[in-house]
Amino acid sequence: MMTLDHRWKDGFPKIGIRPTIDGRRRGVRESLEDQTMNLAKTVAELLSSELRYPNGEPVECVIADTCIGGVAEAAAAADNFKKAGVGLSITVTPCWCYGTETMDTDPSLPKAVWGFNGTGRPGAVYLAAVLSAHAQKGLPAFGIYGKDVQDEGDSVIPEDVKEKLIRFAKAGLTVANIRGKSYLSMGSVSMGIAGSIVDDRFFQEYLGMRNEYIDMTEFVRRINEEIYDKEEFAKALAWTKENCIEGPDNNPEAIRTSREQKDQDWETVVKMTIIARDLMIGNPKLAELGFGEEANGHNALVSGFQGQRQWTDHFPNGDFLEAILNSSFDWNGIRSPFMVATENDSLNGVNMLFGYLLTNTAQIFADVRTYWSPDAVKRVTGHALDGKAAGGLLHLINSGSATLDGTGE
């Protein structure tokens, strides 16, 4: 069976946990060392047990080697995080600390601070002070504070704090995962759709992503020159014939395509699917076939296929490639879904990417085509809507990007 191990060859960003502490010695810091470090360990255990990377593996956390009581230890933690591949940081403390000396100042990392709401130590005071410092320095941080006061030394994370830690970690990992990756534009603007006018400033400045572009003729070249894994194609075509039921041809008889043409179209759409995936993430098999450049791909975490109309007036459309790639399985079995926007609608592609990385689930992209009011439904069908549908229905339908995960009964 073909594997896609190369897809995540660069690994995933880790979560850096920063236990900050009151730097004063002679009994002050010493009395807080164990509690502070244990708080960091508890947070790391929570996140690693609750969160998963897109390949299904548990999220990794890196805890600073020591508690951070001053700028030297803050710098050491920052250096350690860079070497370890940390993509976001969470500062935790049960006590007062020196704000600007202990804060995370790496401008590239999303940050959160949990100030323990305890009876004996003013962790909440540190939280307020260090968030002010973050604001003054233009380094945004997400503040986390439990609504209920806890006993000093309590190592339990309250439920409301758990929720905030997990929500921040999911969002921070999403930011870290997309940084440096690409949006691959396969084709250009589809039928005047504004979303498929790819705004490179948005991707670069807001998301920290690259933009890559190929013309749709690259699909023709790869089909004609057979730049794809022929063994995988044979397997994929057999799987498709067995599992994908062909619908009726509702065209007028005069313009219906022949059985021979339909069979050829099935072969073409399967090849398009393999080629689109290879364009996104590369394929080591292509290097074995003598196509070293093509084997690298475009490091794309999300892409879009223009299709309409320059392609679809002559070739089969992109619905099959989009539906299959956006799903969490194909002829090779279960795998992480790919984000491919129909009609190269890059803005919807980004929304799909956010939804995927925040939930680890395949995404349904659909247009709101029609609102069916209760009166309209009754006029057409004679049926009176009730229950959840009492206020009417939204009719959602679209071309390819709706994952097959969303079509089951």
Side-chain angles (χ1 to χ4, degrees), residues 238-251:
W239 181 90
T240 300
K241 288 181 176 180
E242 181 180 353
N243 293 285
C244 300
I245 301 170
E246 183 178 308
D249 188 342
N250 293 321
N251 291 301

Side-chain angles (χ1 to χ4, degrees), residues 32-52:
L32 295 162
E33 286 280 3
D34 289 344
Q35 182 186 1
T36 303
M37 185 57 75
N38 287 337
L39 204 62
K41 292 177 180 178
T42 303
V43 171
E45 290 169 4
L46 168 72
L47 298 178
S48 293
S49 65
E50 291 285 337
L51 302 178
R52 300 270 173 173

Side-chain angles (χ1 to χ4, degrees), residues 191-211:
M191 301 186 296
I193 296 171
S196 62
I197 303 172
V198 180
D199 185 348
D200 61 305
R201 290 181 301 173
F202 165 67
F203 281 93
Q204 178 181 330
E205 297 174 12
Y206 191 77
L207 301 177
M209 297 181 70
R210 291 173 177 262
N211 291 94

